[in-house]
Amino acid sequence: MKKLLLATAIAALSVSAANAAPTVYGKAFVAMDYVNAEFDGPAGNMYDEDTVEINSHASRIGLKGSEAMTANTDVIYQLEYGTSVDGDSNGFKNRDTFLGVVNKQFGEFRVGKNQSTLARIDNVVVNQGYFDNLGTTQNENEVVEALNMADSNRIPSSIIWTAPKYNGLPLQLSAMYSSDDVNGNDNAGFGVAMLFDQGTGFTAGVAYDKDQNIAGDIIRGTATVDLGKYMAAPVTLGALYQVADYDYGSSKEKGLVVSGEMALANFARPASVYAQYNKTDNLDGLDNADSDQIVVGGKYMYKDNIIAHAYAGMNNADNVPYMSTPRGDAEVFVVGTGLEYKF
């Protein structure tokens, strides 16, 4: 009997220790990118780059985990930091870092630095590597970048709530509040998002935020469809439309993204190709500041966590804005290939 009680106690302690142990995770993504970028201002060519770069794309390392507080409530935490594998910048930069709780009746609360609610419905962007997000809205200090509509950012001093699923209702509801931080940065704002997903291959989402990603408000809508659920076509299509109303802008920024990804057969391992088109009118709220971007690429998975990438893209922007002032026209062409390792 004593031996049985001792074995039970040891087993309980082992389970408790396992629950408390954090998970270490991350990824290293390095690429070789041929970049041809030009910026033409009113006085002629102001910037011209034609080079091959070694770049690190969204590489990171983190700790995450959970531990039971009560029968219905767990503490959850995540400490995630971005790093440059290529060494272009030293140290680490906060990504999603939070401490929170999750409860079966009241949902999940995360407090810290969190992606805004816009990201909760962003399942349309398929680009990888150099073009792995929606881009930036301004050209600063004569550095030519891919310019597109305002993107979702990580919001410091924020709390985000995710509602529990109610009676199998296929909706994910999220709400966020952010406050000014101790450094005097103006982060006060709020956001909400709703994603409809029945698990049938079709999703639809809508999100709104005010004074979080921009000084002003943004409304975004998305939709995706997995054609493989309805016919013999291994293709996923997506569309995103967004309107941003900048407090200082002369016009509303309007952006559209259309994407498609197709799985490839006859390979030893999973592979896919993708294409994505971005169009933005009135970048940064500046009238007639427009951009177009087209990217094509492919992925080959040597293993589930070892992925080879190849991509090519072109971004053109007219009347590039900087602090609500047109500065000229920009053109960026990139061809890249890289290797991603997840752990």
Side-chain angles (χ1 to χ4, degrees):
M1 184 64 181
K2 290 182 178 179
K3 291 182 178 180
L4 178 59
L5 290 174
L6 180 60
T8 302
I10 292 174
L13 289 172
S14 299
V15 171
S16 176
N19 289 339
T23 298
V24 180
Y25 70 95
K27 77 171 184 178
F29 187 169
V30 292
M32 181 174 291
D33 297 320
Y34 166 71
V35 181
N36 183 285
E38 296 181 1
F39 177 69
D40 297 314
N45 191 297
M46 298 174 60
Y47 183 90
D48 190 354
E49 178 183 11
D50 187 13
T51 185
V52 176
E53 301 176 351
I54 305 298
N55 290 318
S56 174
H57 297 303
S59 299
R60 67 198 70 163
I61 188 169
L63 298 171
K64 62 182 178 180
S66 65
E67 187 168 344
M69 291 177 61
T70 68
N72 293 323
T73 305
D74 291 349
V75 168
I76 57 174
Y77 60 92
Q78 179 172 298
L79 303 172
E80 183 177 294
Y81 303 93
T83 185
S84 294
V85 179
D86 59 353
D88 282 353
S89 60
N90 296 320
F92 297 91
K93 183 178 180 180
N94 283 64
R95 288 173 57 89
D96 294 71
T97 54
F98 60 82
L99 178 66
V101 295
V102 57
N103 178 274
K104 294 180 180 179
Q105 283 74 42
F106 301 109
E108 179 186 273
F109 295 84
R110 298 180 177 183
V111 183
K113 187 175 185 180
N114 300 285
Q115 271 281 5
S116 75
T117 49
L118 292 182
R120 293 295 176 98
I121 65 166
D122 186 5
N123 53 358
V124 175
V125 173
V126 295
N127 288 347
Q128 301 287 315
Y130 188 92
F131 297 98
D132 69 347
N133 55 27
L134 295 182
T136 58
T137 59
Q138 298 187 26
N139 171 227
E140 302 181 18
N141 302 323
E142 300 182 6
V143 175
V144 181
E145 296 181 286
L147 299 173
N148 292 293
M149 70 187 78
D151 200 1
S152 174
N153 294 303
R154 293 176 177 85
I155 311 299
S157 303
S158 64
I159 178 171
I160 186 166
W161 168 70
T162 304
K165 291 290 183 68
Y166 294 106
N167 298 322
L169 190 67
L171 291 175
Q172 182 191 68
L173 303 175
S174 304
M176 171 182 271
Y177 169 77
S178 57
S179 68
D180 296 340
D181 62 28
V182 295
N183 297 317
N185 295 318
D186 185 8
N187 299 317
F190 68 91
V192 292
M194 179 175 65
L195 181 67
F196 172 83
D197 185 359
Q198 286 182 303
T200 60
F202 172 77
T203 73
V206 62
Y208 170 82
D209 74 30
K210 183 173 180 61
D211 295 331
Q212 289 195 321
N213 293 289
I214 66 170
D217 54 10
I218 296 176
I219 186 166
R220 172 184 290 183
T222 62
T224 65
V225 59
D226 181 358
L227 296 180
K229 299 285 188 179
Y230 306 98
M231 61 184 72
V235 178
T236 299
L237 302 176
L240 180 155
Y241 185 72
Q242 176 175 292
V243 177
D245 189 1
Y246 292 81
D247 291 343
Y248 52 79
S250 58
S251 299
K252 292 183 178 181
E253 179 187 88
K254 299 177 181 179
L256 171 70
V257 177
V258 179
S259 68
E261 185 167 9
M262 181 176 68
L264 300 177
N266 301 321
F267 281 87
R269 296 289 301 171
S272 66
V273 292
Y274 59 83
Q276 181 174 310
Y277 173 70
N278 294 37
K279 178 175 174 58
T280 307
D281 296 330
N282 307 323
L283 281 163
D284 201 39
L286 181 64
D287 192 33
N288 294 321
D290 307 323
S291 75
D292 289 274
Q293 177 178 291
I294 182 71
V295 177
V296 296
K299 299 182 290 185
Y300 182 83
M301 303 179 70
Y302 289 99
K303 293 184 176 181
D304 292 344
N305 65 325
I306 303 176
I307 307 167
H309 295 267
Y311 45 85
M314 170 74 78
N315 180 281
N316 287 285
D318 299 325
N319 298 316
V320 172
Y322 179 65
M323 302 300 291
S324 300
T325 301
R327 302 183 66 234
D329 302 331
E331 181 178 288
V332 182
F333 173 72
V334 176
V335 177
T337 182
L339 185 66
E340 178 182 11
Y341 175 71
K342 300 179 180 180
F343 58 91

